[in-house]
Amino acid sequence: MSNEPTSSNEVVGFFIRIATDLADGILGTMLTANYLWGVVTSLVVVWARHRVTLPKPRHTGGGSERRRLDDKVVAEIGYMTITNAPKVLGYPINRDTLRARRVSVYDPKIKKKVGSAIWSHRGKKPSLYMEIEAGQSQALLVYTTQNGEVKTYQGDTLKDIQMAQQLVEPNSSRLLEVHIEDVIGRKFRVPFKMIARDAPDMLVGVSAEAMPISTLKDRVRRVRRRLRKIRRAI
């Protein structure tokens, strides 16, 4: 029994089927790629929205006030002003409220906690818990100076909070961080520079200050101000 030659119609049909299969495969790949791209884009958008609405505690100032302690010793209570920054790249953002339950003073050089900090309430006793809404600020008590020493606080509850080890030697400085932990366990890092100077004319014998560490944005802002002054002078 002899094989008859394949007709031209069968050859054309064969190539049409191949082309159709290829087209279906390419279209399926494109649809799959578009689907995956859509999933990735959606995840990135969700992640970005989550990041920009997170609380953003920043060190925006500080100071100290003189108090008499229980043993009648005069001391300077030093604090940092912590602000929940309400802007991203200059645009206002409705950030989440920072609900802090614990604050630690941390030395990044030795990678170790060196003390605790507590929040100051106006007209009320200090607290370990604090809520800071976007754009609002609160005072964080970080150190105490007395008898020529700058001391930090120790303890994890208000009952056992007390002044403890020396935080910085007179006439020296130290780079530190406060680690703010919120009620769901997230940690926010705020760097600062602790500076102490001998001050024999003061009752506490030493002058101390927690200085904000400038960010790239702060440095750019200072450069712009200097350039404006130069242009005005010219």
Side-chain angles (χ1 to χ4, degrees):
M1 189 174 174
S2 59
N3 292 328
E4 295 182 2
T6 304
S7 66
S8 60
N9 289 337
E10 290 177 343
V11 174
V12 172
F14 173 73
F15 282 109
I16 289 175
R17 286 195 298 273
I18 292 178
T20 302
D21 291 341
L22 286 174
D24 288 342
I26 293 172
L27 181 60
T29 302
M30 292 177 62
L31 291 174
T32 302
N34 287 337
Y35 173 76
L36 292 175
W37 175 251
V39 171
V40 171
T41 303
S42 299
L43 291 174
V44 169
V45 170
V46 170
W47 176 84
R49 287 180 177 175
H50 168 71
R51 292 296 302 176
V52 299
T53 57
L54 282 175
K56 182 67 174 179
R58 292 192 61 189
H59 183 188
T60 55
S64 63
E65 55 184 42
R66 186 170 298 172
R67 297 182 185 177
R68 283 191 176 275
L69 305 181
D70 294 338
D71 55 2
K72 308 301 182 182
V73 175
V74 176
E76 289 276 347
I77 309 297
Y79 64 89
M80 295 168 52
T81 301
I82 302 295
T83 302
N84 189 2
K87 292 185 178 181
V88 174
L89 299 176
Y91 294 96
I93 295 292
N94 186 21
R95 291 191 185 274
D96 296 337
T97 298
L98 174 63
R99 294 179 172 86
R101 68 174 179 180
R102 186 181 296 112
V103 185
S104 301
V105 180
Y106 183 83
D107 188 330
K109 186 175 181 180
I110 61 175
K111 297 181 180 180
K112 183 179 178 181
K113 174 185 173 181
V114 295
S116 300
I118 50 180
W119 299 100
S120 176
H121 291 265
R122 291 183 178 178
K124 300 180 181 179
K125 291 183 178 180
S127 172
L128 295 179
Y129 178 82
M130 178 62 70
E131 291 189 1
I132 308 178
E133 297 180 356
Q136 300 298 311
S137 303
Q138 293 291 344
L140 181 66
L141 306 182
V142 179
Y143 64 92
T144 298
T145 58
Q146 67 173 110
N147 299 327
E149 294 183 326
V150 182
K151 292 187 175 182
T152 184
Y153 298 92
Q154 292 285 0
D156 294 321
T157 67
L158 286 180
K159 292 182 179 179
D160 63 4
I161 284 288
Q162 58 183 344
M163 286 179 293
Q165 65 180 354
Q166 186 152 301
L167 190 59
V168 61
E169 297 287 340
N171 299 319
S172 65
S173 62
R174 187 178 184 183
L175 295 177
L176 298 167
E177 298 172 353
V178 290
H179 288 187
I180 302 173
E181 182 180 343
D182 70 2
V183 293
I184 60 175
R186 297 177 299 189
K187 289 186 178 181
F188 303 91
R189 182 180 63 88
V190 183
F192 69 100
K193 185 177 183 179
M194 195 72 221
I195 300 175
R197 303 179 183 87
D198 279 325
D201 56 325
M202 296 178 62
L203 290 176
V204 294
V206 64
S207 172
E209 185 177 6
M211 299 282 292
I213 294 180
S214 63
T215 62
L216 176 60
K217 182 179 178 180
D218 296 328
R219 291 192 288 268
V220 170
R221 189 183 297 114
R222 287 197 297 269
V223 169
R224 286 179 177 175
R225 283 201 298 264
R226 290 169 184 169
L227 290 175
R228 284 197 294 268
K229 289 181 179 180
I230 293 174
R231 284 199 298 268
R232 294 192 191 101
I234 294 175

